[in-house]
Amino acid sequence: IMSLLSSAMQRCVFMHEQTTPDPQGGFTITWTDGAEFDAAIVFDSSIQARTAEKMGVTSLYSVTVPKGVPLHYYSVFRRLSDGLTLRITSRDTTDKQTPESASFQVSQLTAEQYEVTR
Protein backbone atom coordinates (compact mmCIF):
# COMPACT_ATOMS: atom_id res chain seq x y z
CA ILE A 1 0.00 0.00 0.00
CA MET A 2 2.78 2.43 0.88
CA SER A 3 4.45 2.05 -2.54
CA LEU A 4 1.12 2.85 -4.23
CA LEU A 5 0.74 5.88 -2.02
CA SER A 6 4.34 6.92 -2.57
CA SER A 7 3.90 6.75 -6.34
CA ALA A 8 0.85 9.04 -6.07
CA MET A 9 2.75 11.69 -4.10
CA GLN A 10 3.67 14.92 -5.87
CA ARG A 11 5.86 17.78 -4.74
CA CYS A 12 4.00 20.77 -3.26
CA VAL A 13 5.01 24.01 -1.58
CA PHE A 14 3.43 25.97 1.26
CA MET A 15 2.31 29.48 0.31
CA HIS A 16 2.45 32.31 2.84
CA GLU A 17 0.43 35.50 2.57
CA GLN A 18 2.12 38.77 3.49
CA THR A 19 0.23 42.03 3.88
CA THR A 20 2.19 45.28 3.74
CA PRO A 21 1.05 48.92 3.67
CA ASP A 22 1.25 50.69 0.30
CA PRO A 23 2.08 54.39 -0.28
CA GLN A 24 -1.58 55.27 -0.96
CA GLY A 25 -2.70 54.21 2.53
CA GLY A 26 -3.98 50.78 1.48
CA PHE A 27 -2.38 47.38 1.55
CA THR A 28 -0.51 45.13 -0.82
CA ILE A 29 -0.85 41.36 -0.57
CA THR A 30 2.02 39.20 -1.76
CA TRP A 31 2.47 35.44 -1.62
CA THR A 32 5.79 33.76 -0.99
CA ASP A 33 6.77 30.12 -1.22
CA GLY A 34 7.68 28.24 1.92
CA ALA A 35 8.82 24.70 2.61
CA GLU A 36 8.20 21.91 0.14
CA PHE A 37 6.39 18.65 1.00
CA ASP A 38 4.84 15.64 -0.73
CA ALA A 39 1.10 15.11 -1.09
CA ALA A 40 -1.26 12.84 -2.98
CA ILE A 41 -4.08 15.02 -4.32
CA VAL A 42 -7.27 13.49 -5.69
CA PHE A 43 -10.20 15.38 -7.24
CA ASP A 44 -13.55 14.19 -5.85
CA SER A 45 -15.94 13.87 -8.77
CA SER A 46 -18.57 11.81 -6.95
CA ILE A 47 -22.26 12.64 -7.26
CA GLN A 48 -22.24 13.74 -3.62
CA ALA A 49 -19.36 16.15 -4.26
CA ARG A 50 -21.04 17.58 -7.36
CA THR A 51 -24.28 18.08 -5.45
CA ALA A 52 -22.40 19.77 -2.61
CA GLU A 53 -20.60 22.01 -5.10
CA LYS A 54 -23.94 23.24 -6.45
CA MET A 55 -24.92 24.07 -2.87
CA GLY A 56 -21.78 26.15 -2.36
CA VAL A 57 -19.50 23.57 -0.74
CA THR A 58 -16.15 23.57 -2.48
CA SER A 59 -14.18 20.84 -0.68
CA LEU A 60 -13.59 18.87 -3.84
CA TYR A 61 -10.12 17.47 -3.23
CA SER A 62 -8.73 14.86 -0.89
CA VAL A 63 -5.16 15.54 0.17
CA THR A 64 -3.07 12.78 1.74
CA VAL A 65 0.22 13.74 3.37
CA PRO A 66 2.72 12.06 5.67
CA LYS A 67 1.87 12.64 9.33
CA GLY A 68 3.74 15.64 10.63
CA VAL A 69 3.19 17.87 7.58
CA PRO A 70 1.79 20.97 9.33
CA LEU A 71 -1.32 21.58 7.23
CA HIS A 72 -4.17 23.22 9.12
CA TYR A 73 -7.52 24.85 8.37
CA TYR A 74 -7.07 27.39 5.55
CA SER A 75 -3.43 26.48 4.84
CA VAL A 76 -2.66 27.37 1.22
CA PHE A 77 -0.29 25.35 -0.93
CA ARG A 78 0.58 24.84 -4.59
CA ARG A 79 1.33 21.66 -6.51
CA LEU A 80 4.60 22.32 -8.31
CA SER A 81 3.89 20.17 -11.39
CA ASP A 82 0.97 22.26 -12.66
CA GLY A 83 0.49 25.22 -10.28
CA LEU A 84 -2.82 23.95 -8.85
CA THR A 85 -3.36 26.00 -5.69
CA LEU A 86 -5.47 24.56 -2.90
CA ARG A 87 -6.69 25.69 0.52
CA ILE A 88 -7.35 23.18 3.29
CA THR A 89 -10.99 23.07 4.39
CA SER A 90 -10.75 20.37 7.08
CA ARG A 91 -11.42 22.02 10.41
CA ASP A 92 -10.02 19.14 12.47
CA THR A 93 -6.82 18.18 10.69
CA THR A 94 -6.16 15.32 13.12
CA ASP A 95 -9.52 13.69 12.42
CA LYS A 96 -8.42 11.36 9.62
CA GLN A 97 -5.07 9.82 10.47
CA THR A 98 -3.72 6.31 10.40
CA PRO A 99 -3.40 4.75 13.85
CA GLU A 100 0.05 4.68 15.43
CA SER A 101 0.19 0.91 14.89
CA ALA A 102 -0.16 1.24 11.08
CA SER A 103 2.84 0.44 8.90
CA PHE A 104 2.50 3.83 7.16
CA GLN A 105 1.70 7.14 8.81
CA VAL A 106 -0.52 9.58 6.88
CA SER A 107 -3.19 12.22 7.39
CA GLN A 108 -6.03 12.92 4.98
CA LEU A 109 -7.64 16.33 4.59
CA THR A 110 -10.17 18.03 2.34
CA ALA A 111 -9.30 21.05 0.22
CA GLU A 112 -10.77 23.46 -2.29
CA GLN A 113 -9.22 25.06 -5.33
CA TYR A 114 -8.02 28.52 -4.38
CA GLU A 115 -7.00 31.62 -6.27
CA VAL A 116 -4.40 33.74 -4.51
CA THR A 117 -5.06 37.48 -4.49
CA ARG A 118 -2.41 39.94 -5.55
Side-chain angles (χ1 to χ4, degrees):
I1 290 176
M2 190 57 190
S3 62
L4 278 173
L5 186 58
S6 296
S7 67
M9 293 281 183
Q10 296 182 338
R11 209 69 186 142
C12 296
V13 63
F14 284 100
M15 297 184 67
H16 302 288
E17 181 182 39
Q18 295 179 313
T19 306
T20 54
D22 68 20
Q24 291 78 32
F27 296 93
T28 301
I29 297 172
T30 56
W31 290 85
T32 57
D33 290 351
E36 292 186 8
F37 63 97
D38 291 323
I41 301 168
V42 178
F43 179 71
D44 185 354
S45 60
S46 68
I47 296 296
Q48 294 89 345
R50 289 180 189 186
T51 302
E53 183 180 24
K54 289 182 194 256
M55 295 168 52
V57 177
T58 57
S59 299
L60 297 177
Y61 291 85
S62 292
V63 179
T64 304
V65 295
K67 267 188 185 177
V69 174
L71 288 170
H72 53 82
Y73 184 61
Y74 275 15
S75 289
V76 177
F77 67 96
R78 184 178 75 252
R79 185 167 56 191
L80 293 176
S81 64
D82 62 2
L84 174 68
T85 303
L86 298 172
R87 179 171 67 176
I88 297 297
T89 55
S90 296
R91 290 192 184 269
D92 183 356
T93 56
T94 62
D95 192 30
K96 292 183 179 178
Q97 293 185 348
T98 52
E100 293 301 321
S101 59
S103 61
F104 56 99
Q105 298 293 304
V106 296
S107 298
Q108 192 168 55
L109 309 131
T110 56
E112 64 185 355
Q113 193 164 352
Y114 187 71
E115 190 167 329
V116 295
T117 54
R118 298 275 175 203

